[in-house]
Amino acid sequence: MTTEEQPPTAPPPAPTSASAPAQVQVQVQDSQSPRPVALITGVGRSIGIGAGIARQLAASGWDVAFTYWTPYDLRMEWGAEDGAAASIAEELAGAGARTAAIEADLTDPDTPARVFDEAEQRLGPVTALVLSHAESVDSGLLDTTVEAFDRHFAVNARASWLLIREYGLRFRGEPDAAAGRVVALTSDHTVGNLPYGASKGALDRITLAAAHELAHLGVTANVVNPGPVDTGWMNDELRRALAQGTPLGRLGTPQDTAHLVDFLCSPQGQWVNGQLLKSNGGAAS
């Protein structure tokens, strides 16, 4: 199933603005002690998984930089949520977090470095990188276009690699502390959703490689498959069918995923490394 959201089967062509600089909104809450900084991608909608993770980490004592990309939501069936970035930032500030909201076009290979520049300038060095962004458009083997295939891999695989690489180049933690974290959200959905599923498979391999290649920095890296989470993309029929496919008889929530990510980012989660974790309520494949 998808992570953040599942789009309609035939969206209009994607707008492009690869050369546009990242736009940053910041809200600051005074704090008496330093808080670690988490950078979370794909926090464009208040009901999304990314927003749920941001809220949980802010409540657990993290400062939060997050990215969003309004043109993606504009071409989806649900449309853009007006003022979402500002309202999410305000929520996080209310939990004591310093925040930086960064509009970022991840089809542009220069964007990951710009995002880290902005996050570091506003909040300081990034300790945890959480990848919850996604390009996700329904299409299968026979009807996927080359343009759609390339865009999925640019956002879901290439941008994720570049973000993890940028994180690894900049991370300055103590290796013995095992404090650095990379967590990526994935999906096992491929049938009728080929470019999304294939590019998420590539994301898995990139993230699991980081568990070994960044180990000398004291960084752990894991992949989380959140299973069927309704963030506004399901119809009633699909919602019922997916709920019946889990032993608990319900769908996942953004909070379910956020609790696991929070644990993985905590000191208690440091021994979990190089894993693809299914946090899906036992949903049948």
PDB file of all heavy atoms in Angstrom, residues 82-109:
ATOM      1  N   ASP A  82      -4.955  24.503   1.867  1.00  0.00           N
ATOM      2  CA  ASP A  82      -4.560  25.897   2.017  1.00  0.00           C
ATOM      3  C   ASP A  82      -3.975  26.169   3.401  1.00  0.00           C
ATOM      4  O   ASP A  82      -4.585  25.854   4.421  1.00  0.00           O
ATOM      5  CB  ASP A  82      -5.774  26.804   1.790  1.00  0.00           C
ATOM      6  CG  ASP A  82      -5.398  28.257   1.580  1.00  0.00           C
ATOM      7  OD1 ASP A  82      -4.302  28.510   1.052  1.00  0.00           O
ATOM      8  OD2 ASP A  82      -6.194  29.126   1.954  1.00  0.00           O
ATOM      9  N   GLY A  83      -2.760  26.718   3.419  1.00  0.00           N
ATOM     10  CA  GLY A  83      -2.127  27.090   4.679  1.00  0.00           C
ATOM     11  C   GLY A  83      -1.635  25.933   5.522  1.00  0.00           C
ATOM     12  O   GLY A  83      -1.335  26.124   6.718  1.00  0.00           O
ATOM     13  N   ALA A  84      -1.517  24.730   4.935  1.00  0.00           N
ATOM     14  CA  ALA A  84      -1.151  23.553   5.723  1.00  0.00           C
ATOM     15  C   ALA A  84       0.225  23.695   6.367  1.00  0.00           C
ATOM     16  O   ALA A  84       0.396  23.390   7.552  1.00  0.00           O
ATOM     17  CB  ALA A  84      -1.197  22.297   4.860  1.00  0.00           C
ATOM     18  N   ALA A  85       1.209  24.141   5.596  1.00  0.00           N
ATOM     19  CA  ALA A  85       2.570  24.224   6.141  1.00  0.00           C
ATOM     20  C   ALA A  85       2.629  25.151   7.346  1.00  0.00           C
ATOM     21  O   ALA A  85       3.238  24.833   8.372  1.00  0.00           O
ATOM     22  CB  ALA A  85       3.539  24.683   5.056  1.00  0.00           C
ATOM     23  N   ALA A  86       1.975  26.307   7.231  1.00  0.00           N
ATOM     24  CA  ALA A  86       1.992  27.272   8.339  1.00  0.00           C
ATOM     25  C   ALA A  86       1.273  26.719   9.564  1.00  0.00           C
ATOM     26  O   ALA A  86       1.735  26.880  10.701  1.00  0.00           O
ATOM     27  CB  ALA A  86       1.359  28.585   7.901  1.00  0.00           C
ATOM     28  N   SER A  87       0.142  26.038   9.355  1.00  0.00           N
ATOM     29  CA  SER A  87      -0.609  25.526  10.500  1.00  0.00           C
ATOM     30  C   SER A  87       0.121  24.370  11.173  1.00  0.00           C
ATOM     31  O   SER A  87       0.108  24.249  12.408  1.00  0.00           O
ATOM     32  CB  SER A  87      -2.019  25.101  10.072  1.00  0.00           C
ATOM     33  OG  SER A  87      -1.970  24.028   9.162  1.00  0.00           O
ATOM     34  N   ILE A  88       0.773  23.510  10.373  1.00  0.00           N
ATOM     35  CA  ILE A  88       1.553  22.417  10.960  1.00  0.00           C
ATOM     36  C   ILE A  88       2.725  22.984  11.748  1.00  0.00           C
ATOM     37  O   ILE A  88       3.015  22.554  12.874  1.00  0.00           O
ATOM     38  CB  ILE A  88       2.046  21.454   9.867  1.00  0.00           C
ATOM     39  CG1 ILE A  88       0.863  20.695   9.251  1.00  0.00           C
ATOM     40  CG2 ILE A  88       3.064  20.463  10.427  1.00  0.00           C
ATOM     41  CD1 ILE A  88       1.200  19.922   7.990  1.00  0.00           C
ATOM     42  N   ALA A  89       3.414  23.988  11.184  1.00  0.00           N
ATOM     43  CA  ALA A  89       4.526  24.613  11.892  1.00  0.00           C
ATOM     44  C   ALA A  89       4.070  25.230  13.210  1.00  0.00           C
ATOM     45  O   ALA A  89       4.756  25.129  14.231  1.00  0.00           O
ATOM     46  CB  ALA A  89       5.175  25.672  11.003  1.00  0.00           C
ATOM     47  N   GLU A  90       2.888  25.838  13.190  1.00  0.00           N
ATOM     48  CA  GLU A  90       2.354  26.442  14.413  1.00  0.00           C
ATOM     49  C   GLU A  90       2.059  25.376  15.460  1.00  0.00           C
ATOM     50  O   GLU A  90       2.325  25.562  16.657  1.00  0.00           O
ATOM     51  CB  GLU A  90       1.091  27.238  14.086  1.00  0.00           C
ATOM     52  CG  GLU A  90       0.522  28.009  15.265  1.00  0.00           C
ATOM     53  CD  GLU A  90      -0.648  28.889  14.876  1.00  0.00           C
ATOM     54  OE1 GLU A  90      -0.974  28.944  13.666  1.00  0.00           O
ATOM     55  OE2 GLU A  90      -1.244  29.500  15.776  1.00  0.00           O
ATOM     56  N   GLU A  91       1.510  24.234  15.015  1.00  0.00           N
ATOM     57  CA  GLU A  91       1.246  23.120  15.928  1.00  0.00           C
ATOM     58  C   GLU A  91       2.527  22.631  16.586  1.00  0.00           C
ATOM     59  O   GLU A  91       2.589  22.396  17.798  1.00  0.00           O
ATOM     60  CB  GLU A  91       0.630  21.960  15.158  1.00  0.00           C
ATOM     61  CG  GLU A  91      -0.840  21.737  15.361  1.00  0.00           C
ATOM     62  CD  GLU A  91      -1.256  20.402  14.765  1.00  0.00           C
ATOM     63  OE1 GLU A  91      -1.413  20.315  13.542  1.00  0.00           O
ATOM     64  OE2 GLU A  91      -1.406  19.439  15.556  1.00  0.00           O
ATOM     65  N   LEU A  92       3.576  22.459  15.777  1.00  0.00           N
ATOM     66  CA  LEU A  92       4.836  21.946  16.296  1.00  0.00           C
ATOM     67  C   LEU A  92       5.458  22.928  17.271  1.00  0.00           C
ATOM     68  O   LEU A  92       6.019  22.537  18.302  1.00  0.00           O
ATOM     69  CB  LEU A  92       5.805  21.663  15.137  1.00  0.00           C
ATOM     70  CG  LEU A  92       5.306  20.709  14.048  1.00  0.00           C
ATOM     71  CD1 LEU A  92       6.400  20.474  13.018  1.00  0.00           C
ATOM     72  CD2 LEU A  92       4.830  19.395  14.642  1.00  0.00           C
ATOM     73  N   ALA A  93       5.352  24.217  16.956  1.00  0.00           N
ATOM     74  CA  ALA A  93       5.862  25.238  17.868  1.00  0.00           C
ATOM     75  C   ALA A  93       5.124  25.195  19.195  1.00  0.00           C
ATOM     76  O   ALA A  93       5.711  25.400  20.260  1.00  0.00           O
ATOM     77  CB  ALA A  93       5.743  26.624  17.232  1.00  0.00           C
ATOM     78  N   GLY A  94       3.825  24.893  19.141  1.00  0.00           N
ATOM     79  CA  GLY A  94       3.039  24.769  20.360  1.00  0.00           C
ATOM     80  C   GLY A  94       3.500  23.618  21.238  1.00  0.00           C
ATOM     81  O   GLY A  94       3.277  23.622  22.451  1.00  0.00           O
ATOM     82  N   ALA A  95       4.172  22.612  20.628  1.00  0.00           N
ATOM     83  CA  ALA A  95       4.731  21.485  21.389  1.00  0.00           C
ATOM     84  C   ALA A  95       6.151  21.776  21.850  1.00  0.00           C
ATOM     85  O   ALA A  95       6.819  20.887  22.385  1.00  0.00           O
ATOM     86  CB  ALA A  95       4.700  20.221  20.540  1.00  0.00           C
ATOM     87  N   GLY A  96       6.623  23.005  21.619  1.00  0.00           N
ATOM     88  CA  GLY A  96       7.951  23.396  22.084  1.00  0.00           C
ATOM     89  C   GLY A  96       9.043  23.283  21.055  1.00  0.00           C
ATOM     90  O   GLY A  96      10.219  23.474  21.378  1.00  0.00           O
ATOM     91  N   ALA A  97       8.701  22.954  19.811  1.00  0.00           N
ATOM     92  CA  ALA A  97       9.711  22.749  18.782  1.00  0.00           C
ATOM     93  C   ALA A  97       9.994  24.027  18.001  1.00  0.00           C
ATOM     94  O   ALA A  97       9.075  24.781  17.685  1.00  0.00           O
ATOM     95  CB  ALA A  97       9.257  21.655  17.816  1.00  0.00           C
ATOM     96  N   ARG A  98      11.257  24.246  17.702  1.00  0.00           N
ATOM     97  CA  ARG A  98      11.597  25.207  16.662  1.00  0.00           C
ATOM     98  C   ARG A  98      11.320  24.518  15.326  1.00  0.00           C
ATOM     99  O   ARG A  98      11.584  23.329  15.176  1.00  0.00           O
ATOM    100  CB  ARG A  98      13.062  25.621  16.750  1.00  0.00           C
ATOM    101  CG  ARG A  98      13.424  26.377  18.026  1.00  0.00           C
ATOM    102  CD  ARG A  98      14.900  26.760  18.019  1.00  0.00           C
ATOM    103  NE  ARG A  98      15.739  25.582  17.862  1.00  0.00           N
ATOM    104  CZ  ARG A  98      16.831  25.540  17.084  1.00  0.00           C
ATOM    105  NH1 ARG A  98      17.195  26.598  16.377  1.00  0.00           N
ATOM    106  NH2 ARG A  98      17.544  24.432  16.995  1.00  0.00           N
ATOM    107  N   THR A  99      10.781  25.234  14.362  1.00  0.00           N
ATOM    108  CA  THR A  99      10.380  24.598  13.118  1.00  0.00           C
ATOM    109  C   THR A  99      10.859  25.383  11.911  1.00  0.00           C
ATOM    110  O   THR A  99      11.046  26.599  11.969  1.00  0.00           O
ATOM    111  CB  THR A  99       8.843  24.463  13.027  1.00  0.00           C
ATOM    112  OG1 THR A  99       8.272  25.763  12.878  1.00  0.00           O
ATOM    113  CG2 THR A  99       8.283  23.815  14.277  1.00  0.00           C
ATOM    114  N   ALA A 100      11.030  24.657  10.812  1.00  0.00           N
ATOM    115  CA  ALA A 100      11.329  25.276   9.527  1.00  0.00           C
ATOM    116  C   ALA A 100      10.576  24.516   8.451  1.00  0.00           C
ATOM    117  O   ALA A 100      10.791  23.313   8.279  1.00  0.00           O
ATOM    118  CB  ALA A 100      12.831  25.244   9.235  1.00  0.00           C
ATOM    119  N   ALA A 101       9.650  25.171   7.768  1.00  0.00           N
ATOM    120  CA  ALA A 101       8.880  24.557   6.691  1.00  0.00           C
ATOM    121  C   ALA A 101       9.502  24.978   5.365  1.00  0.00           C
ATOM    122  O   ALA A 101       9.629  26.171   5.078  1.00  0.00           O
ATOM    123  CB  ALA A 101       7.417  24.994   6.760  1.00  0.00           C
ATOM    124  N   ILE A 102       9.889  24.010   4.556  1.00  0.00           N
ATOM    125  CA  ILE A 102      10.662  24.263   3.342  1.00  0.00           C
ATOM    126  C   ILE A 102       9.923  23.708   2.135  1.00  0.00           C
ATOM    127  O   ILE A 102       9.727  22.490   2.032  1.00  0.00           O
ATOM    128  CB  ILE A 102      12.054  23.609   3.441  1.00  0.00           C
ATOM    129  CG1 ILE A 102      12.766  24.035   4.725  1.00  0.00           C
ATOM    130  CG2 ILE A 102      12.882  23.933   2.210  1.00  0.00           C
ATOM    131  CD1 ILE A 102      14.030  23.234   5.025  1.00  0.00           C
ATOM    132  N   GLU A 103       9.500  24.567   1.227  1.00  0.00           N
ATOM    133  CA  GLU A 103       8.872  24.070  -0.002  1.00  0.00           C
ATOM    134  C   GLU A 103       9.966  23.588  -0.940  1.00  0.00           C
ATOM    135  O   GLU A 103      10.899  24.335  -1.258  1.00  0.00           O
ATOM    136  CB  GLU A 103       8.020  25.151  -0.666  1.00  0.00           C
ATOM    137  CG  GLU A 103       7.303  24.612  -1.904  1.00  0.00           C
ATOM    138  CD  GLU A 103       6.004  25.336  -2.199  1.00  0.00           C
ATOM    139  OE1 GLU A 103       5.917  26.521  -1.862  1.00  0.00           O
ATOM    140  OE2 GLU A 103       5.095  24.692  -2.775  1.00  0.00           O
ATOM    141  N   ALA A 104       9.884  22.345  -1.366  1.00  0.00           N
ATOM    142  CA  ALA A 104      11.006  21.710  -2.047  1.00  0.00           C
ATOM    143  C   ALA A 104      10.538  20.815  -3.183  1.00  0.00           C
ATOM    144  O   ALA A 104       9.768  19.876  -2.969  1.00  0.00           O
ATOM    145  CB  ALA A 104      11.813  20.881  -1.051  1.00  0.00           C
ATOM    146  N   ASP A 105      11.014  21.107  -4.384  1.00  0.00           N
ATOM    147  CA  ASP A 105      10.738  20.297  -5.570  1.00  0.00           C
ATOM    148  C   ASP A 105      11.800  19.209  -5.665  1.00  0.00           C
ATOM    149  O   ASP A 105      12.929  19.460  -6.088  1.00  0.00           O
ATOM    150  CB  ASP A 105      10.763  21.181  -6.815  1.00  0.00           C
ATOM    151  CG  ASP A 105      10.533  20.400  -8.093  1.00  0.00           C
ATOM    152  OD1 ASP A 105      10.243  19.184  -8.010  1.00  0.00           O
ATOM    153  OD2 ASP A 105      10.648  21.008  -9.180  1.00  0.00           O
ATOM    154  N   LEU A 106      11.443  18.003  -5.277  1.00  0.00           N
ATOM    155  CA  LEU A 106      12.430  16.927  -5.223  1.00  0.00           C
ATOM    156  C   LEU A 106      12.716  16.298  -6.584  1.00  0.00           C
ATOM    157  O   LEU A 106      13.537  15.383  -6.673  1.00  0.00           O
ATOM    158  CB  LEU A 106      11.973  15.859  -4.222  1.00  0.00           C
ATOM    159  CG  LEU A 106      11.974  16.334  -2.762  1.00  0.00           C
ATOM    160  CD1 LEU A 106      11.416  15.252  -1.843  1.00  0.00           C
ATOM    161  CD2 LEU A 106      13.364  16.746  -2.316  1.00  0.00           C
ATOM    162  N   THR A 107      12.090  16.788  -7.656  1.00  0.00           N
ATOM    163  CA  THR A 107      12.511  16.358  -8.988  1.00  0.00           C
ATOM    164  C   THR A 107      13.804  17.059  -9.393  1.00  0.00           C
ATOM    165  O   THR A 107      14.463  16.636 -10.340  1.00  0.00           O
ATOM    166  CB  THR A 107      11.437  16.660 -10.052  1.00  0.00           C
ATOM    167  OG1 THR A 107      11.245  18.073 -10.161  1.00  0.00           O
ATOM    168  CG2 THR A 107      10.118  15.976  -9.721  1.00  0.00           C
ATOM    169  N   ASP A 108      14.159  18.115  -8.695  1.00  0.00           N
ATOM    170  CA  ASP A 108      15.385  18.871  -8.973  1.00  0.00           C
ATOM    171  C   ASP A 108      16.524  18.257  -8.170  1.00  0.00           C
ATOM    172  O   ASP A 108      16.477  18.249  -6.935  1.00  0.00           O
ATOM    173  CB  ASP A 108      15.170  20.328  -8.571  1.00  0.00           C
ATOM    174  CG  ASP A 108      16.395  21.195  -8.797  1.00  0.00           C
ATOM    175  OD1 ASP A 108      17.457  20.658  -9.197  1.00  0.00           O
ATOM    176  OD2 ASP A 108      16.300  22.411  -8.572  1.00  0.00           O
ATOM    177  N   PRO A 109      17.571  17.740  -8.816  1.00  0.00           N
ATOM    178  CA  PRO A 109      18.658  17.100  -8.062  1.00  0.00           C
ATOM    179  C   PRO A 109      19.441  18.050  -7.172  1.00  0.00           C
ATOM    180  O   PRO A 109      20.190  17.600  -6.301  1.00  0.00           O
ATOM    181  CB  PRO A 109      19.551  16.501  -9.162  1.00  0.00           C
ATOM    182  CG  PRO A 109      19.197  17.229 -10.407  1.00  0.00           C
ATOM    183  CD  PRO A 109      17.754  17.628 -10.276  1.00  0.00           C
TER     184      PRO A 109
END
